[in-house]
Amino acid sequence: VDEVYDGYATTSTGVLIQNSQNVTQHTWHHDDNLTYLVDASKNMFPGSLDLNTFAGTIQIHDISGGLFTAYIVYDVNQDNVFNDSFNVAACGTASYHLGLIYDYYYTHHNWTSFSNTGVGIPVFANDYADPDNAHYVNGTITLGAGGTLFYNWAAALDLTAH
């Protein structure tokens, strides 16, 4: 049986890691009283948030502790600003950039998701296992945390869009 989250789409403030600019980002306020980096504002969203599929959403997972500890990022101190740590701000930056990318492809190409079927778009940010890399594999975007060669990949709108 699918579990559906109770809650609603809302907006929060993010702080871009590359220039400290405050931006508005789309988030999900859950009935557990936490706000998550789940963007349900796009045309692909079916109207309710399904825990099993996250259909029609862009979800940002923090993978900084490794794949098995990855979690959907939420506003830890509940002030509606995603700046509680550098990793949280990087995830907020990824969320903001993915929203811009979605809007571009929807506006200019009428695409509603990667496959144009409205599937969810999972994004794993802060990958310390492969920090100087970013990739798209099996419907998932992974953004490196930055290392010796590059800054955190969440800051790279042009490369994320590519």
Side-chain angles (χ1 to χ4, degrees):
V1 175
D2 286 346
E3 180 179 343
V4 177
Y5 276 139
D6 290 326
Y8 54 90
T10 188
T11 59
S12 299
T13 300
V15 180
L16 300 181
I17 60 173
Q18 68 271 27
N19 60 14
S20 300
Q21 175 186 350
N22 286 348
V23 295
T24 299
Q25 55 194 35
H26 297 280
T27 53
W28 184 265
H29 187 79
H30 184 269
D31 63 359
D32 65 3
N33 216 24
L34 294 176
T35 302
Y36 292 85
L37 286 178
V38 174
D39 185 345
S41 72
K42 306 306 181 192
N43 291 332
M44 64 182 173
F45 185 61
S48 61
L49 185 59
D50 186 315
L51 173 63
N52 293 314
T53 66
F54 286 95
T57 68
I58 302 168
Q59 329 93 50
I60 309 298
H61 305 254
D62 186 350
I63 193 173
S64 62
L67 181 60
F68 297 112
T69 61
Y71 63 94
I72 295 179
V73 177
Y74 59 94
D75 181 21
V76 176
N77 65 2
Q78 301 178 357
D79 65 354
N80 210 32
V81 180
F82 283 83
N83 66 348
D84 304 310
S85 68
F86 182 83
N87 283 350
V88 169
C91 288
T93 300
S95 177
Y96 180 74
H97 285 165
L98 264 293
L100 292 176
I101 293 164
Y102 175 92
D103 292 344
Y104 170 83
Y105 278 98
Y106 182 76
T107 301
H108 296 283
H109 304 288
N110 202 31
W111 281 22
T112 58
S113 66
F114 289 134
S115 60
N116 203 29
T117 60
V119 299
I121 302 172
V123 180
F124 290 89
N126 300 317
D127 183 4
Y128 284 95
D130 194 7
D132 284 323
N133 198 4
H135 50 86
Y136 173 79
V137 176
N138 296 327
T140 301
I141 296 172
T142 303
L143 303 170
T148 58
L149 299 175
F150 299 103
Y151 191 60
N152 190 301
W153 286 81
L157 173 61
D158 56 342
L159 293 171
T160 304
H162 182 254

